Amino acid sequence: MNLTAEQIQDNWDIFIGNINAHISSPRKEKLVEFYEKYAERVMLMPAAHKKEYHNAFPGGYVEHVNRVVRCALKQAKLWESEEADMTTFTIEELVFAAINHDLGKMGDEEHESYLPQTDAWRRDKLGEDYMFNKELAFASVPDRGLFMLQSHGIQYTFNEMIAIQTHDGLYDEGNKKYLMSYMPESRPRTSLPFILHQADLMAARIEFEREWLPKFKNSVPSQNKNFTLTDKPKNAPNKQQKALGSIKSEGLKNMLDLL
């Protein structure tokens, strides 16, 4: 998928608008200043390095983050409608965590995380339009994102830290210590991490479907759309015939025939 320059700019305006609408001062101003400083890089970032993932195209990162914010707000309303305890976190915490959940993908102050792929074979055969920057010291996406925030004087709450840290859910083995505890006292004391994970999962799935389902539909032979689970081939034996066919005793067959 390719976004136009106008779409990329519109998505960026929405991105900054979410900060202004949901984040309170003075953190709001610091967050806007941070993102404006790296605007060109963040605005054009992909959300992943590989087509098989999601939004691996220029502008894909911001589009993904905006979708996660929308999905998170909708998920919060769903949880509230099912009587989840919504007093354990704030909407600001939810939106802050959604906006910054993948911040670590930008790299650091000196190095971008994703670079255009220079290996034609990997680009054509593996769908890797981007490659990881070898000049960038390794860190997980949540760890790098949290480090970038604190190194620029942007404070975050304990709730926001845990939500960002665990936003990949159990897809990340490192999150088991938070999400797979069998002791009530060591489980998360807010639904925020689960709401953010579901929003991120939903957004990534929608982006995957948009990219790949049309390709699958074009490559799969058409099937009989009138088929139902109750359909059976013509002349197919009924259940009683199948049962009789497996019985060798003539006496039992005669008894079943009378049922």
Side-chain angles (χ1 to χ4, degrees):
M1 179 175 178
N2 294 315
L3 297 178
T4 65
E6 290 76 14
Q7 289 173 317
I8 291 174
Q9 183 62 56
D10 288 345
N11 287 336
W12 181 252
D13 292 341
I14 293 170
F15 180 84
I16 296 299
N18 282 331
I19 297 175
N20 287 320
H22 296 285
I23 309 302
S24 59
S25 298
R27 191 165 65 158
K28 171 174 64 178
E29 288 76 17
K30 289 185 177 182
L31 205 54
V32 170
E33 181 183 4
F34 168 78
Y35 277 112
E36 291 291 1
K37 180 179 180 180
Y38 298 102
E40 184 176 343
R41 187 198 303 187
V42 177
M43 194 184 299
L44 297 175
M45 276 170 51
H49 78 291
K50 193 173 183 178
K51 291 178 180 177
E52 282 74 8
Y53 298 154
H54 64 102
N55 275 25
F57 51 79
Y61 173 84
V62 172
E63 192 203 46
H64 170 70
V65 170
N66 289 347
R67 182 172 285 106
V68 172
V69 171
R70 292 196 303 272
C71 291
L73 292 171
K74 293 173 183 177
Q75 285 288 343
K77 290 181 180 179
L78 175 60
W79 280 64
E80 184 177 20
S81 71
E82 291 297 330
E83 301 182 357
D85 186 350
M86 307 302 285
T87 66
T88 60
F89 66 93
T90 67
I91 293 299
E92 178 172 348
E93 288 180 316
L94 175 63
V95 175
F96 181 93
I99 288 172
N100 298 293
H101 77 283
D102 270 346
L103 174 59
K105 291 182 177 181
M106 74 164 281
D108 61 20
E109 291 89 343
E110 304 296 330
H111 306 95
E112 297 183 37
S113 182
Y114 299 126
L115 299 175
Q117 179 61 262
T118 58
D119 187 326
W121 186 88
R122 298 191 69 86
R123 184 176 60 249
D124 297 338
K125 302 299 182 182
L126 302 181
E128 296 179 0
D129 287 341
Y130 296 87
M131 60 183 181
F132 293 108
N133 188 350
K134 295 179 181 179
E135 298 297 319
L136 181 66
F138 173 77
S140 70
V141 170
D143 288 346
R144 191 186 305 284
L146 291 168
F147 178 81
M148 289 293 288
L149 289 171
Q150 65 87 23
S151 66
H152 287 78
I154 301 169
Q155 295 185 335
Y156 43 83
T157 67
F158 182 83
N159 278 349
E160 291 163 349
M161 179 188 72
I162 298 299
I164 291 172
Q165 194 74 50
T166 63
H167 76 268
D168 279 327
L170 292 175
Y171 288 98
D172 185 338
E173 290 283 329
N175 293 334
K176 285 186 175 181
K177 59 183 176 291
Y178 290 108
L179 305 178
M180 284 191 67
S181 172
Y182 298 101
M183 297 184 293
E185 61 271 20
S186 60
R187 293 183 179 182
R189 303 195 178 188
T190 172
S191 297
L192 177 58
F194 305 99
I195 294 173
L196 179 60
H197 172 56
Q198 290 178 354
D200 187 34
L201 187 66
M202 181 179 181
R205 175 63 195 185
I206 290 169
E207 290 154 8
F208 170 83
E209 289 186 357
R210 179 182 61 182
E211 176 75 20
W212 287 97
L213 289 192
K215 298 176 183 177
F216 295 155
K217 290 177 181 177
N218 292 334
S219 64
V220 176
S222 61
Q223 299 177 349
N224 182 5
K225 296 182 179 179
N226 295 322
F227 176 81
T228 66
L229 292 177
T230 58
D231 288 346
K232 59 183 179 181
K234 292 181 179 180
N235 302 322
N238 58 35
K239 292 181 180 179
Q240 186 177 16
Q241 289 173 327
K242 286 184 177 180
L244 290 173
S246 63
I247 296 175
K248 295 181 179 180
S249 168
E250 290 297 327
L252 286 175
K253 286 184 178 181
N254 290 336
M255 290 175 62
L256 288 171
D257 277 335
L258 296 175
L259 294 179

